[in-house]
Amino acid sequence: MRTETTAVLRAWLPKYGVYAAILLLIAYNLLFTPNFLTWSNLRIQLVQVAPIVIVALGMALVIGTEGIDLSVGSVMALAAALIPLYLGYGVGAAFAVALLAGIAVGLVNGVLVARVGLQPIVATLALFVGGRGLALVISDGQLKDIRNESLIFLGSGDLLGIPVLVWIAALLVGVIAFVVRRTVLGRRLLAIGGNRAATTLAGVPVTRVLITVYVLCAVLAALAGLLAVARIQSSDASSVGLLIELSAITAVVVGGTPLTGGTVRILGTVAGALLMQLVIATMIKHNLPASTTEMIQAVIILLAVYAARERKTGDRRTSARERRATARPRRHVAAPAEETR
């Protein structure tokens, strides 16, 4: 009985543990945090978590292929550095240039991983360092104010009483969920993450899919950088997107997407981002030091990775038992001889 309960818990925890943790944290805040349910507080939390959700969506796609992208923060900084240079030509031109920068970085990452054969962590680490350096060169290391009302509206405006930034994040969640669940690209990226060698033998264009996934991840990061500039109404390449890659990876892992690939949990990723934001907000509301917050986040990450590892181990054991049962020779029972008349 105890073994069965443990098995059920191991299967349940990676899928639904993040939702249970959110409910527990909300209950704690309702009891012990003053003004937690006020709209102003909820608005702040949603606005702060929206850019992380956008970046985490792209990260989830990459991790689904058993990859990683450390350059997303640098892509945000690069987009932020380019926006003031082209904003004079209109918001559309600034948008286009920022997204083109994301496409360029995604192509470089994708080619290095899919064609050159570099490990994703190595390929994206190069642009993690070089991308922000390029952004600082473009901006001359200076903070530049943004005065364009149309752009500021995206970061600070409301639509039907809800921040536009939150609407954009919610729309992107729906789009990426559709891509993963209902499109050929979604099925292929999951197949690559599950077994890349077998997917290649099956005739799937692995190189093209991987490049597309890394481009999508970088474009989402560039969009997040653009929206971050709109929210803070300034462009600072030294701080925009700083260490957001860690927040995005944390959201994906805590949300139940394994680092081993083959699975992408979009709603879980959103829940993971919300959970980490609630943890930070709770610590701040109760005047706990930043070091305590970081340690709690580390414990949550370790628990999430351990739960995913336990589930993977259990799946392998189950598969091994099934293979042994299949390979076991069957006993043939002789048919009864006919009576001789």
Side-chain angles (χ1 to χ4, degrees):
M1 184 65 180
R2 184 177 178 181
T3 305
E4 293 178 358
T5 303
T6 304
V8 171
L9 184 61
R10 285 177 176 174
W12 179 88
L13 194 59
K15 291 183 179 180
Y16 307 109
V18 63
Y19 304 108
I22 288 175
L23 291 176
L24 289 173
L25 199 53
I26 289 175
Y28 174 85
N29 281 286
L30 289 175
L31 293 173
F32 301 107
T33 304
N35 303 318
F36 175 74
L37 272 184
T38 59
W39 172 240
S40 60
N41 178 58
L42 294 177
R43 176 190 170 88
I44 291 172
Q45 305 308 322
L46 290 174
V47 167
Q48 289 181 343
V49 80
I52 299 174
V53 168
I54 294 172
V55 176
L57 291 174
M59 188 67 73
L61 296 179
V62 172
I63 290 177
T65 65
E66 202 179 2
I68 202 80
D69 191 348
L70 299 179
S71 68
V72 288
S74 297
V75 174
M76 288 182 65
L78 189 58
L82 289 169
I83 288 169
L85 300 180
Y86 294 91
L87 200 54
Y89 299 98
V91 176
F95 263 70
V97 171
L99 296 181
L100 283 173
I103 291 173
V105 173
L107 282 172
V108 172
N109 286 335
V111 169
L112 289 176
V113 172
R115 289 195 179 275
V116 179
L118 292 181
Q119 290 292 328
I121 193 170
V122 176
T124 59
L125 182 61
L127 285 169
F128 167 79
V129 178
R132 190 170 295 275
L134 179 60
L136 290 170
V137 170
I138 292 173
S139 63
D140 293 326
Q142 297 178 357
L143 185 147
K144 299 180 181 179
D145 292 332
I146 302 296
R147 302 299 182 193
N148 187 285
E149 294 297 328
S150 299
L151 183 59
I152 292 174
F153 176 75
L154 294 177
S156 306
D158 286 0
L159 183 63
L160 301 178
I162 298 175
V164 175
L165 191 58
V166 176
W167 282 113
I168 295 173
L171 176 63
L172 290 173
V173 169
V175 170
I176 299 301
F178 177 81
V179 168
V180 172
R181 293 177 177 271
R182 301 295 182 184
T183 67
V184 174
L185 175 63
R187 291 193 292 271
R188 285 177 172 176
L189 74 88
L190 295 178
I192 292 170
N195 192 325
R196 182 171 175 175
T199 305
T200 303
L201 293 174
V204 174
V206 173
T207 299
R208 188 171 65 196
V209 172
L210 286 175
I211 292 175
T212 302
V213 168
Y214 279 92
V215 168
L216 284 175
C217 182
V219 167
L220 288 169
L223 179 59
L226 192 152
L227 294 173
V229 168
R231 182 169 67 90
I232 63 178
Q233 300 180 24
S234 64
S235 172
D236 184 5
S238 63
S239 63
V240 171
L242 189 63
L243 299 180
I244 197 170
E245 54 277 343
L246 301 182
S247 299
I249 294 170
T250 300
V252 174
V253 173
V254 171
T257 298
L259 291 172
T260 50
T263 301
V264 175
R265 301 192 185 282
I266 297 300
L267 291 181
T269 297
V270 176
L274 288 172
L275 175 62
M276 304 313 292
Q277 179 62 34
L278 279 174
V279 169
I280 294 171
T282 302
M283 299 298 104
I284 292 174
K285 290 284 187 181
H286 292 272
N287 298 317
L288 292 175
S291 57
T292 303
T293 304
E294 292 169 356
M295 287 188 290
I296 292 175
Q297 287 179 299
V299 170
I300 293 173
I301 294 170
L302 289 173
L303 289 174
V305 173
Y306 179 76
R309 175 182 174 275
E310 286 295 306
R311 184 183 176 207
K312 196 79 174 179
T313 303
D315 291 344
R316 285 199 297 266
R317 289 172 180 170
T318 302
S319 300
R321 284 197 298 267
E322 291 175 351
R323 287 195 298 270
R324 286 196 298 269
T326 303
R328 191 175 298 156
R330 296 178 180 177
R331 296 180 179 178
H332 295 281
V333 179
E338 292 184 359
E339 292 183 5
T340 304
R341 294 182 181 273

